[in-house]
Amino acid sequence: MSKIELLQVGPYPAWDEERLNATFTMHRYFEVPDKAAFLAAHGTGIRGIATRGELGANRAMIEALPKLEIISVYGVGFDAVDLAAARERNIRVTNTPDVLTKDVADLGVAMLLAQARGMVGGESWVKSGDWARKGLYPLKTRVHGKRVGILGLGRIGFEVAKRLAGFEMDIAYSDTSPKDYAKDWTFIADPVELAARSDFLFVTLAACAETRHIVGRKVIEALGDQGMLINISRASNIDEEALLDALEKKTLGSAALDVFDGEPNLNPRFLALDSVLLQPHMASGTVETRRAMGALVFDNLSAHFQGRPLPTPVL
Ligand code: 8YV
């Protein structure tokens, strides 16, 4: 009996691909030179998509697969999946929540500390010989005890806030409504007001059409020339042109970013800035978390095709 055919939209670690290849016929879409021709020739046999958070599945891909039943996302963010197109045909969608939450929060806090205390520059100061030639490294910025804003107090934002409570921070958050699990922290509905009362502003919102560019010129201006923006969500939550303008004009103090428009081909204006910490979308990038994410992708696909309940359904 032939194996069920899946479209693999992006690469996975070897341990995931071995397991998937043993159970399914995996079409490695990301290696196909002529993708339109491939879908036209093979699309009718494909019953599932295995994708990644940042790659998703757009309407054209979904509509090229007439027998598509499920889209399994390796990541918690499903914003790159056309949910409307999936709903129209009752296509199931799954993601990998919870298993990555704490690693993402860990990196967010690490990015804050690294940027505020100048750790990347500090290593260059040592390795370049500047320490011996120029003397003491320039003073940087305190983190503990300062004001932090969390834009989006979902699972990841909550874990970030928990960690920062350990740094005796003055914590406020913005979300659609006050959260009963956040009684120790200040609820501020308006992102501009949240930014105005923050030294550090984390963007931890799940990205969607409604959150696009929620961090725009007004929020960035309110954060100000001593403020720091940390983004571990999606680039789409930030107006990158406004961010770059503010960083170049020094009307925003600094930024620490793990996600970018057009990644991995980010805007070259970022590369000319010394006030930004740039990370390669690696917030969930630990062996432990990625093993758990890959297992969930496989478990969701297997459950669907075996007629069992899906472990982590979105649709
Ligand atoms: C993953 C992410 O690294 O969870 C998400 O939505 O963006 C990241 O945690 C990415 O999806 C893996 O490709």
Side-chain angles (χ1 to χ4, degrees), residues 52-54 74-77 96 100 104 233-234 281 284 290 293:
R52 296 177 66 107
E54 74 280 9
Y74 182 86
V76 66
T96 62
L100 51 75
V104 174
S233 61
R234 285 285 189 271
H281 198 156
S284 66
R290 290 296 172 85
M293 290 165 64

Side-chain angles (χ1 to χ4, degrees), residues 31-51:
E31 293 176 345
V32 167
D34 186 339
K35 292 176 167 53
F38 173 86
L39 292 176
H42 303 282
T44 53
I46 290 171
R47 296 174 58 189
I49 292 175
T51 187

